[in-house]
Amino acid sequence: LKSHTMVALLCVYGLLVGCLATVQVAGLQEQHTVATRPPPPPPVASPALYFLLMNQQMNNVYNVTAVRAVFTRAAAAGYTGVVLYDHNLEALGSPWLRDDYLPSLHEVMGVAAQHGLEVIPQVYSFGHSEGMVFSDINLAEPTATSRLFRVSADRSKLEIVVSTPPLSNGNFTTHSSGPPNRVAGWDLQESPGLRTFIDLSVARAGSGGSVRIESTGGDSNMSKQARLMQTFPVVRRGTVTAECWIRGENLDLGQTGVDLRMQLNFDGMNNCARWEPASLKRACKATGGANCTFSWTRARVVCMDVGNHSSLELWVGDWANSTVSGRVWFTGCSLGSNGMGNILRRDGAPLIVKSGASTGTVYQEGIDFDPIPSTPQSAVNASGDFPSDPVDVEVTLPPSTRMVAGEPIEIEYYFVPGGQVTACLTSSPSERYLVSSAQKHAEVFGQGSQYLVRYDELEQMHSCELCRARATTAGKLLAWHVNHSAEVLQANARPKRVMVWQDMFDPYANGNLTEYRGNTDGITGAWSGLPPSWVIANWNHQNTGYNATDNTCSIMGRCMTKSLRFFESLGFSQFMCGYYGSGNGTQSAIDGITAAKGVNGLLGMIYGSWASGPVPGDPDLGGGDYSQLEEYAKAAQTYWPTLNKGQGTKEGAR
């Protein structure tokens, strides 16, 4: 197996030619000029098998003992390589990186070599860019927003204007006139009297009551989720905060227990901010999250920019289809507004202060208002994240200000949302990073290594002035940048092969969306910039979104066959990525190979080990499920020969 695989890994592909690819996606036809090659060859005789090794947290080093155990199993099962999925790699050379990280990494590389496993590091993580921002906060891609203030009566500062009305019945003390246990003022209440109950006997001081969630059995609804939702208007663009007080008794907060959340949603399940009880789980870690009892605890979420939405939804409750024992109470739910936080000031991200009155006067920093600082590097935490609930920046006014008491003041500025960070594609810090990262990777892993480029899930793109000046749409910007980064990587690291996650280039995943999270002007066509020599790592898994009757895809990311066919039509070789914590490695591999039958250019399969929570007994790996390594490999090796059988109809872009 390994000898055949290494030949496949070293294949050199044909010459570049140009063609016009016509792409049919869910009834929408578009044309894009795409650099492509002749059709790829049939699948290799034996699959290259890789797996992801997770080390996501910036403050972690590898637990080499645990890594050795995983590598031993993987090699015995026939895996030929390991993909290091590690944010720390994006901070190579940074003074912020832990001193013991590189020695730990070299140990891992040595263990891989002992087991005959090729090491494939990630590089250029422009979607999940926490490691990059950990090194330089100015690498982040900010988004434009504005806040409305009023000048204080004494003309010493600006005071935020609240953008939301009070929440209705936030203490759950008011009943509706209908069925019992029906909460008044909320637009949705699941399973009233069966899983959700008005409880006036349990209340936090001053609240007068609460809503209780528990399982009593007998719920005839198909869903046993127990959630409440209230829609409220947003009168102006800005930050919306929500908080509730929560109390628990004998709850199971483990993976099979309740799924407590509080969310601010734009519509349905499109959430702007989410609270989950991570701190409560840590407090109950001695019992694995089971039998967790806690007193009234505040839960708070911040939607840092409501954009142009005119309303939001507050959701609270249990998202699990759970019948476990235990009870939880919610009360004291309220709304509010924050000022400015996570401000980023650099080229392409200006800050403008102007009068909200009819004059529209633009005020001067240092004369009309005191300097407003950019977020310091120290604000980024050990995982590379911006704060999700940042401290407000107070805007003070000097005696020389021209502002008058009570005057409305609008501040336009750029900020970085909390949580996942996306890197800017055009700033000068980004350009320097491309070069330095390639050089540092070549220094650590050697010239001629194989890499996985992470252009996955770019939540914020094409928003700063520099990026908008570079290209007219996010898709065109990404097409330019992926080609540019390939040139820089080639010049500085001379890679043997480069793989890239497919989703942002995939018309059957994120690459066909007119609006993807923070990108509102379309990503379609980004695939036109993919270098022909790169290999697609395709995690468009399952075919549950494919409609056979009209040959369309209704659920992006769930049309595996069409995705594989699309990249095959452009001449790309591919790896199929599967498992994803399904609990059944055998079936995951079979499903992938079944969906790929008749597709040319397939080189192998990647076991995607990410899953929620740490590796059992090994929190230093930061997440991942390696329980099905052997089953996945065995099924992949067994069913791979069937790929060339039953060519069938070639779906997708032709």
Side-chain angles (χ1 to χ4, degrees), residues 111-194:
V111 174
Q114 291 170 12
H115 289 83
L117 296 172
E118 181 181 13
V119 172
I120 303 132
Q122 73 169 53
V123 68
Y124 293 169
S125 185
F126 279 94
H128 292 265
S129 306
E130 293 81 2
M132 297 168 62
V133 172
F134 182 73
S135 303
D136 183 355
I137 202 169
N138 290 306
L139 285 165
E141 174 70 350
T143 186
T145 189
S146 63
R147 295 290 182 273
L148 184 64
F149 297 82
R150 289 193 185 279
V151 180
S152 64
D154 62 2
R155 299 174 67 237
S156 67
K157 62 183 179 180
L158 299 183
E159 299 171 336
I160 186 69
V161 175
V162 176
S163 59
T164 59
L167 194 70
S168 175
N169 195 20
N171 289 323
F172 306 101
T173 55
T174 306
H175 304 223
S176 71
S177 58
N181 285 298
R182 177 73 69 175
V183 176
W186 289 72
D187 300 290
L188 171 71
Q189 180 184 356
E190 294 177 322
S191 303
L194 293 168

Side-chain angles (χ1 to χ4, degrees), residues 76 202 213 268 313 473 497-498 534 566 602 636:
V202 176
I213 296 174
E313 301 167 351
T473 69
R497 173 193 285 157
V498 178
W534 282 16
F566 170 75
L602 297 176

Side-chain angles (χ1 to χ4, degrees), residues 500-516:
V500 60
W501 287 136
Q502 106 294 345
D503 65 302
M504 299 303 296
F505 311 97
D506 185 350
Y508 303 104
N510 299 327
N512 188 45
L513 302 181
T514 55
E515 180 172 349
Y516 175 67

Side-chain angles (χ1 to χ4, degrees), residues 235-257:
V235 296
R236 64 184 60 84
R237 185 167 190 172
T239 297
V240 173
T241 66
E243 64 178 55
C244 293
W245 289 84
I246 304 176
R247 171 181 165 183
E249 180 182 283
N250 297 324
L251 283 177
D252 180 2
L253 294 178
Q255 291 190 5
T256 59

Side-chain angles (χ1 to χ4, degrees), residues 6-21:
M6 292 311 296
V7 170
L9 290 174
L10 295 171
C11 283
V12 178
Y13 299 106
L15 297 175
L16 168 66
V17 298
C19 78
L20 186 67

Side-chain angles (χ1 to χ4, degrees), residues 154-496:
D154 62 2
R155 299 174 67 237
S156 67
K157 62 183 179 180
L158 299 183
E159 299 171 336
I160 186 69
V161 175
V162 176
S163 59
T164 59
L167 194 70
S168 175
N169 195 20
N171 289 323
F172 306 101
T173 55
T174 306
H175 304 223
S176 71
S177 58
N181 285 298
R182 177 73 69 175
V183 176
W186 289 72
D187 300 290
L188 171 71
Q189 180 184 356
E190 294 177 322
S191 303
L194 293 168
R195 290 209 63 206
T196 57
F197 307 85
I198 293 174
D199 194 337
L200 301 182
S201 65
V202 176
R204 184 173 172 270
S207 69
S210 62
V211 64
R212 184 180 77 252
I213 296 174
E214 64 178 311
S215 294
T216 61
D219 187 351
S220 60
N221 295 333
M222 291 183 65
S223 171
K224 294 188 182 298
Q225 293 174 325
R227 303 171 299 178
L228 296 95
M229 183 274 288
Q230 184 173 152
T231 303
F232 57 92
V234 178
V235 296
R236 64 184 60 84
R237 185 167 190 172
T239 297
V240 173
T241 66
E243 64 178 55
C244 293
W245 289 84
I246 304 176
R247 171 181 165 183
E249 180 182 283
N250 297 324
L251 283 177
D252 180 2
L253 294 178
Q255 291 190 5
T256 59
V258 297
D259 183 8
L260 292 183
R261 297 187 206 171
M262 180 172 71
Q263 294 184 179
L264 282 170
N265 287 4
F266 291 129
D267 50 74
M269 298 309 294
N270 182 12
N271 72 80
C272 177
R274 175 191 296 182
W275 173 88
E276 293 176 320
S279 61
L280 299 177
K281 290 180 180 181
R282 286 194 294 270
C284 298
K285 64 181 180 180
T287 61
N291 300 316
C292 195
T293 297
F294 51 91
S295 58
W296 289 111
T297 301
R298 187 179 76 153
R300 175 179 164 90
V301 291
V302 180
C303 177
M304 294 190 64
D305 184 41
V306 300
N308 297 319
H309 293 272
S310 59
S311 65
L312 286 179
E313 301 167 351
L314 174 62
W315 291 72
V316 299
D318 177 14
W319 263 247
N321 298 326
S322 174
T323 58
V324 298
S325 61
R327 301 187 290 180
V328 63
W329 292 263
F330 287 82
T331 194
C333 296
S334 62
L335 302 172
S337 295
N338 270 15
M340 300 190 299
N342 289 355
I343 301 170
L344 192 64
R345 303 189 66 179
R346 59 160 173 80
D347 289 347
L351 182 145
I352 300 172
V353 178
K354 61 185 180 181
S355 176
S358 58
T359 61
T361 302
V362 176
Y363 290 110
Q364 290 183 272
E365 193 166 15
I367 297 176
D368 297 303
F369 60 94
D370 292 324
I372 298 175
S374 186
T375 302
Q377 184 71 44
S378 58
V380 176
N381 67 17
S383 297
D385 298 323
F386 276 74
S388 58
D389 188 2
V391 176
D392 283 354
V393 174
E394 185 177 43
V395 182
T396 57
L397 309 179
S400 59
T401 185
R402 292 174 290 165
M403 300 179 191
V404 299
E407 180 183 0
I409 301 294
E410 183 180 10
I411 301 182
E412 298 174 352
Y413 67 101
Y414 284 77
F415 80 101
V416 180
Q420 179 182 336
V421 183
T422 299
C424 178
L425 301 182
T426 60
S427 66
S428 53
S430 252
E431 187 65 25
R432 291 192 296 270
Y433 167 81
L434 282 176
V435 176
S436 64
S437 180
Q439 292 173 342
K440 289 295 182 182
H441 275 70
E443 181 182 316
V444 173
F445 298 99
Q447 293 276 343
S449 293
Q450 184 174 185
Y451 293 100
L452 171 70
V453 172
R454 289 193 59 190
Y455 280 100
D456 55 317
E457 298 177 340
L458 276 81
E459 291 193 347
Q460 189 65 41
M461 182 172 50
H462 198 242
S463 53
C464 80
E465 291 184 353
L466 295 176
C467 288
R468 299 188 75 83
R470 168 65 66 172
T472 56
T473 69
K476 291 179 180 178
L477 176 68
L478 182 55
W480 165 79
H481 191 266
V482 68
N483 198 272
H484 175 59
S485 69
E487 293 174 349
V488 176
L489 186 63
Q490 178 62 35
N492 290 277
R494 303 293 178 187
K496 172 177 65 178

